[in-house]
Amino acid sequence: MVHPLLFSLPLLALGLFIPGHLVCRLLGGPAGPVWSFVVSAPVLLNLSLLLDGLGLGLGVGSLSMGLGVFCLVLVLLLLRRRHEKPGAAPGIARVAAGVPFPRRAELLWGLAALVGAAVLVVRVVEVPLSGFDHAFRWDFLARQIVRWESLSFYPVHKVGDHSAYVWCDGIPPLVALQQAWTYLAFQRVDLWAGGVRTLLEAGLLAAAVGRLAWVLDGRRAVLPALALLACSGVGLWTLSIGQETVLCALSLVCLVLALADDRLKDPICFLLAGAAAGLAALARDYGLAWLVLGLGMLWLQGRLRRGWAVFLAAALACCGPWYLRNWVLTGNPLFSHDLFGLFTTNPVHLETMEIIRSYCSPLSDPGAFGRQLLSAAPLVLIPVIPVLCFPWACRDRGAQGKLLALGVLPVFLLWVASIQDTAGGLLYSLRVLMPALALLAVACGVVLGRSTGRFSLFCGALSVCAALFSGLRSLHLPMDPSPGWEESLSSRWLGKAHAFDGFFRQQGWENLASGSQEGRILVDEPSCQAALIKRGAPNTVSLFSPDMLFLFQEGGSFEGHLAMLRARRVRYVVLSPGNAISELRALRHPFLAVLPKSKLPFITIGHNTVYDIGLP
């Protein structure tokens, strides 16, 4: 009997590596795992859009056939070339082969990196995809893509779409598509498959960080850079949850790498830099800033006139089809953000984001925000060596150092802007800093790799201690940023990490889903709706749906709203009084506040209350 992995691993590589590898070979650029992945990601997404638009579906058969045809065309083009150009830069394996046995200090740097890797593996194996919003966004969208073999319901803009997806998103679905492809490759929709993708992306980011450190200052910078990457508790936690910030970090490191590596000649460097920027724009809509960032880096190098057209063409070829599709379907390329009132939006989503800003903004409670920031600071960079090394590295490396500086500063500004839009609070927003943390680690490698003697040994030993400290604490994130030492050394973090899972395991969701055939279920919180959809409830609807807009308009009586709900075949209403967004929304809209007072609950599921309003 043939082991299933003999089919699954090649299939996984077909979607995540092979197309990019062939494209890089055809262009004569570096074709190692990092660049293969970076270039393959836009291929997977844009091919999915094409197949879905043609009505061919996104099943394993159609996607495999499409990827196979694409790769076959590239192979034929390669075969036509009589003299293949050599790679423009050595790969990671070739660099590693030339590295002699490390000094004692380098052994300590390597040990620190291994400690971080071990912590990452433990968390991903024990609690794969542990981020809060996997349940209703990243992983949920992947499961719906596998279930429906389509992206036609995303972004949700029609009434029917809101029964398939639960959040008013228009962000690019690259993370979900890669996750869906992983499920299809392993032929199982199971979280452990998501863990495979998570560890794969973390390894690629580490390889890119090591490669950039080597380009800037040789092999001596590689191990210190990887060690300092392991010394950030927030960084390790961010790598473990498998969301968009890892792809954004990988794209930023590769953007700098493409422009800093002297072995990459024009126009290959501009094409690769554009592909890296396009990857960020496909990971999250704020990744569009990487396009501006790339132009700024070209200007800084004095290469803007030569490279801007090639760079933008490559970047827009990667990310443009998604934003154009968004625009055509919803009337807004960045649905549902309000772009100065120029494009269509979802008013309920805009109000929801306004509510989030009302209690997440640092200005809402400056004292509490300051305390949270102080408690989280040790988790970002331990020790503070990277911050001290960064200016030194930037000045020492000249033009290349300026690329690092230009990469870090905008990420910091993006994080500051994201705080007020992050419902998970300050601590959860820190994951946006991952791209900056990766470049800071590179800067550390450049500086600390040159240290000698006892100081080098001291820094190496300190990095091992810091990696242990940060690694143990990262296991408790985001529930507890500062556990005591006794708790840090225990397995209590597993209970915290699984606490959110208990919400979805409650039997009440099964009971409500099985009884929903008689009418629709209106849900005010996305996780609740996701729990129902996962149990096969066919008639769920969210407050974002256009046919629920009357609940948010001025005027109308409570009885009138009930009648309108019943006319839309809504029988059950699920409210979440323990949710801050739901509570603040109820203060603005009388129906949501009056319903709990006028109706006895049909059932309660955890902190959520279900009301049976009957049918006409």
Side-chain angles (χ1 to χ4, degrees), residues 218-489:
R219 68 162 188 87
R220 61 186 177 184
V222 174
L223 287 177
L226 296 178
L228 269 294
L229 191 64
C231 290
S232 169
V234 166
L236 291 174
W237 161 64
T238 302
L239 289 172
S240 73
I241 60 178
Q243 295 184 8
E244 88 285 0
T245 44
V246 179
L247 292 181
C248 288
L250 178 62
S251 66
L252 182 57
V253 174
C254 287
L255 175 59
V256 176
L257 178 59
L259 299 178
D261 194 343
D262 294 333
R263 302 186 185 209
L264 292 175
K265 305 302 181 184
D266 301 351
I268 299 299
C269 61
F270 304 138
L271 288 169
L272 292 177
L279 174 63
L282 289 178
R284 191 66 186 261
D285 41 16
Y286 65 73
L288 286 168
W290 272 229
L291 275 68
V292 180
L293 193 55
L295 292 175
M297 290 180 178
L298 289 173
W299 172 79
L300 199 63
Q301 290 183 313
R303 305 163 78 184
L304 183 61
R305 181 176 298 179
R306 298 200 312 271
W308 72 268
V310 177
F311 169 80
L312 280 183
L316 293 177
C318 292
C319 67
W322 168 256
Y323 291 99
L324 180 61
R325 179 182 184 270
N326 245 13
W327 196 347
V328 172
L329 291 181
T330 69
N332 186 342
L334 294 175
F335 185 78
S336 167
H337 295 292
D338 183 16
L339 302 176
F340 310 104
L342 298 175
F343 301 102
T344 305
T345 58
N346 183 302
V348 181
H349 175 258
L350 295 184
E351 182 187 83
T352 301
M353 296 309 300
E354 182 185 332
I355 290 172
I356 292 173
R357 295 184 190 105
S358 70
Y359 68 88
C360 287
S361 171
L363 299 179
S364 62
D365 191 345
F369 176 78
R371 291 189 294 272
Q372 293 175 27
L373 195 60
L374 286 175
S375 66
L379 293 167
V380 179
L381 292 169
I382 295 293
V384 294
I385 291 176
V387 177
L388 300 177
C389 289
F390 188 66
W392 185 4
C394 292
R395 183 185 61 184
D396 180 69
R397 298 310 304 164
Q400 293 174 327
K402 292 177 181 179
L403 294 181
L404 293 178
L406 189 58
V408 167
L409 295 178
V411 173
F412 179 79
L413 296 177
L414 281 173
W415 166 66
V416 172
S418 74
I419 294 173
Q420 64 177 1
D421 292 327
T422 305
L426 170 67
L427 191 59
Y428 211 73
S429 74
L430 288 174
R431 75 194 200 287
V432 178
L433 286 172
M434 188 68 232
L437 296 179
L439 290 186
L440 283 170
V442 172
C444 281
V446 170
V447 174
L448 297 181
R450 299 180 178 186
S451 59
T452 57
R454 292 183 179 179
F455 179 71
S456 178
L457 289 173
F458 169 76
C459 291
L462 186 61
S463 72
V464 175
C465 297
L468 283 169
F469 175 86
S470 299
L472 291 173
R473 294 210 160 193
S474 74
L475 296 174
H476 295 263
L477 292 176
M479 305 300 292
D480 186 359
S482 54
W485 274 111
E486 181 180 351
E487 190 172 9
S488 296
L489 296 173

Side-chain angles (χ1 to χ4, degrees), residues 590-613:
F591 175 82
L592 300 175
V594 173
L595 179 62
K597 301 175 183 178
S598 61
K599 294 280 184 180
L600 293 176
F602 173 60
I603 57 172
T604 57
I605 308 174
H607 297 294
N608 307 285
T609 307
V610 182
Y611 298 92
D612 184 353
I613 64 173

